[in-house]
Amino acid sequence: MKVAVVGTGYVGLVTGTCLADYGNDVFCVDVMKDKIENLKKGIIPIFEPGLEEMVLENYNAGRLRFTTDIKEALYKSDICFIAVGTPMGEDGSADLQYVLAVAKSIGKCMNHHTYVVDKSTVPVGTAKKVRETIQAELDERKSDLTFDVISNPEFLKEGTAVEDCSRPDRIVIGTDNKDAEKVMRELYLPLVKDKEAFICMDIASAEMTKYTANAMLATKISFMNEISNICEKVGADVNKVRLGIGSDHRIGFSFIYPGCGYGGSCFPKDVQALIKTSSDFGYETRILNAVEAVNAEQKMVIVNKIVERFGEDLTGMTFGVWGLAFKPKTDDMRMAPAITIINEITKRGAKVKAYDPKAETEARECYLRDNDSVEYCESKYSTLIDSDAMILVTEWKEFRAPDFYEIRERLKNPIIFDGRNQYDEERLTEMGFEYYQIGVRRE
């Protein structure tokens, strides 16, 4: 099939590349000329395992093309995905300016019936706005061209996005047109063999599904973090509690790991957008408000433990920080707990020596660029030289089984603050470490 994907960010580039990999002819469109030229050269703007190789393979095969010309892409495509960003506005709402700008361009440039697919994460009612915007442009042209607007939310996880897109556990389609449903079934048939995994519904329900999924996962994280805080107060061990409840098949182990809060491009933005949408309709989201509040406080838990151990004034102290990205297998630092932790301890006078396998550039150039108290290191162990303590923030694979003798040798003091509860407390205690976890009271 012939497909245009407008937006070459995380969702657009992965979606376009995976569709091309299954034999479709795909145009990826972006207004940023430098990004398009770099993509043609094989320079990928994001880190995602397996993506670079797949882009190069399909680009060289001629199935994947990159352009700034949306008219060319629309003329040669029957399906057009809108996959641009929907950043969080000051009031928590999803900013739809880029989505509607694409819709306007579609209305101006389309020359045959087009299936317009909302792939961006958008609030309920966006498909209607997209339809109205396209129709207004067609009316301006005095054109009788027809089109369909379809909701097709993405469920990609950073770090496994290529796998998620190529082998999705479900495809959600929102449409009020049987022909549109048929076209989307044909497009996704190579990716979804199980008919039950192709779920068709009305547009509003499809738009709501994405927000509900992310809000549910965020709720599980904040719930478990709240339980961890209770455990610490009453003297229980949240790691043992997690095992006790996770073995119940009704609960399971997914998203019940205590930690220093969630971040990224999805959970914070989508929870806030759902809160704002609900408020616009006169409903107060008491649970989601609590989810957000718990998460904000959770990013301070490690900071509070450091202050409790060393005092409010950290002047003259240095901390080795392992991990900057909000999760492993990505360079994404949007709303990452590391930002809060590093800024809070440096605000109190500390220096930070940080290492992350992929996110250093993001930290240097964007998220921590104004923090002169951060030094970036080439390896995890080099962060520990002359450091007063180590802080684990992101659970990268290479951090899971470190050489604790090496850590003890390099640190001034054998002290670890673990924001992801990765290590064996009994072993570290036997080795003479002071080990601080989430949800475990240290006697």
Side-chain angles (χ1 to χ4, degrees):
M1 302 182 78
K2 299 186 183 303
V3 179
V5 180
V6 185
T8 58
Y10 205 93
V11 174
L13 186 57
V14 172
T15 299
T17 303
C18 288
L19 289 174
D21 200 52
Y22 277 87
N24 298 288
D25 293 321
V26 179
F27 278 88
C28 281
V29 185
D30 206 291
V31 295
M32 299 176 66
K33 293 181 180 179
D34 290 346
K35 181 187 279 190
I36 291 298
E37 290 306 312
N38 282 336
L39 284 167
K40 290 178 179 178
K41 297 173 185 176
I43 301 172
I44 310 302
I46 56 174
F47 171 72
E48 178 63 35
L51 181 60
E52 181 176 354
E53 299 85 350
M54 189 179 284
V55 168
L56 291 172
E57 179 182 344
N58 285 280
Y59 180 73
N60 291 332
R63 293 186 297 269
L64 183 62
R65 304 173 197 177
F66 300 105
T67 183
T68 57
D69 188 350
I70 191 171
K71 180 181 286 189
E72 176 191 16
L74 288 170
Y75 278 19
K76 297 179 180 179
S77 302
D78 300 311
I79 303 170
C80 179
F81 284 89
I82 300 177
V84 293
T86 53
M88 184 167 61
E90 292 183 4
D91 61 355
S93 63
D95 186 345
L96 298 178
Q97 63 172 312
Y98 304 113
V99 170
L100 298 181
V102 174
K104 189 170 186 176
S105 295
I106 292 171
K108 285 182 175 180
C109 299
M110 61 184 284
N111 69 341
H112 58 274
H113 184 91
T114 302
Y115 296 95
V116 180
V117 184
D118 283 334
K119 196 70 172 174
S120 302
T121 300
V122 293
V124 175
T126 300
K128 181 181 178 183
K129 293 179 181 179
V130 168
R131 182 182 289 113
E132 290 171 348
T133 302
I134 295 173
Q135 190 60 55
E137 292 300 320
L138 291 175
D139 292 343
E140 182 73 19
R141 294 168 53 188
K142 295 181 171 51
S143 171
D144 59 0
L145 288 171
T146 58
F147 63 95
D148 286 287
V149 177
I150 301 161
S151 176
N152 174 214
E154 56 85 13
F155 299 100
L156 307 180
K157 300 184 293 294
E158 293 189 45
T160 60
V162 171
E163 179 71 16
D164 294 340
C165 191
S166 300
R167 298 175 180 82
D169 51 13
R170 83 280 204 197
I171 296 291
V172 173
I173 299 296
T175 181
D176 51 13
N177 184 303
K178 286 293 182 183
D179 288 338
E181 178 184 341
K182 183 178 179 181
V183 167
M184 297 305 289
R185 282 187 183 276
E186 182 180 351
L187 177 66
Y188 282 120
L189 181 62
L191 283 70
V192 181
K193 297 299 183 182
D194 184 356
K195 291 182 179 180
E196 292 185 0
F198 188 94
I199 306 168
C200 199
M201 60 185 70
D202 62 276
I203 292 174
S205 296
E207 291 173 330
M208 188 67 178
T209 295
K210 168 64 176 181
Y211 280 118
T212 303
N214 279 352
M216 172 63 78
L217 297 176
T219 299
K220 290 186 72 174
I221 293 171
S222 280
F223 175 80
M224 201 62 199
N225 281 334
E226 183 147 84
I227 293 298
S228 75
N229 295 331
I230 298 171
C231 285
E232 198 159 339
K233 294 289 186 184
V234 302
D237 184 334
V238 73
N239 301 306
K240 296 174 181 177
V241 173
R242 178 182 61 80
L243 292 173
I245 67 169
S247 56
D248 184 331
H249 70 274
R250 298 170 301 174
I251 298 172
F253 286 101
S254 296
F255 291 87
I256 63 167
Y257 288 80
C260 48
Y262 60 75
S265 63
C266 294
F267 289 3
K269 176 173 69 72
D270 293 353
V271 170
Q272 283 281 354
L274 188 51
I275 290 172
K276 178 60 169 62
T277 298
S278 301
S279 176
D280 290 344
F281 281 85
Y283 182 79
E284 181 186 358
T285 55
R286 291 170 297 234
I287 292 177
L288 294 182
N289 289 344
V291 168
E292 275 289 283
V294 168
N295 191 59
E297 293 171 7
Q298 200 67 21
K299 292 180 180 181
M300 287 294 296
V301 168
I302 288 295
V303 177
N304 294 336
K305 288 179 181 292
I306 291 171
V307 169
E308 185 178 344
R309 171 61 176 80
F310 295 110
E312 187 70 31
D313 185 359
L314 301 177
T315 302
M317 302 195 70
T318 301
F319 293 86
V321 174
W322 286 15
L324 297 167
F326 87 95
K327 64 180 284 189
K329 298 184 181 180
T330 181
D331 60 354
D332 193 346
M333 280 189 66
R334 285 173 285 186
M335 308 293 284
I339 300 171
T340 299
I341 293 169
I342 289 173
N343 284 337
E344 287 291 333
I345 62 175
T346 56
K347 184 172 70 177
R348 290 167 170 79
K351 299 287 186 182
V352 164
K353 300 171 76 172
Y355 168 73
D356 188 284
K358 295 297 178 182
E360 180 184 328
T361 300
E362 290 292 300
R364 281 183 182 274
E365 297 181 359
C366 185
Y367 298 99
L368 294 171
R369 66 185 176 193
D370 296 325
N371 193 328
D372 297 329
S373 297
V374 182
E375 174 189 345
Y376 298 95
C377 300
E378 295 183 354
S379 72
K380 57 182 182 285
Y381 294 121
S382 59
T383 67
L384 307 179
I385 299 172
D386 295 325
S387 289
D388 295 276
M390 168 189 146
I391 307 170
L392 175 68
V393 183
T394 312
E395 64 275 34
W396 283 94
K397 191 174 182 180
E398 69 172 273
F399 299 161
R400 292 182 186 174
D403 184 338
F404 290 108
Y405 293 101
E406 181 81 8
I407 293 173
R408 188 175 62 184
E409 180 69 24
R410 294 192 177 222
L411 283 172
K412 285 183 181 178
N413 310 297
I415 302 173
I416 296 176
F417 295 93
D418 186 350
R420 299 296 176 184
N421 289 18
Q422 291 289 291
Y423 304 136
D424 185 331
E425 180 182 20
E426 184 176 349
R427 182 192 175 197
L428 290 181
T429 301
E430 289 175 354
M431 292 181 66
F433 279 93
E434 287 184 42
Y435 181 52
Y436 298 87
Q437 302 180 73
I438 303 290
V440 181
R441 182 196 294 173
R442 190 174 186 280
E443 302 297 341

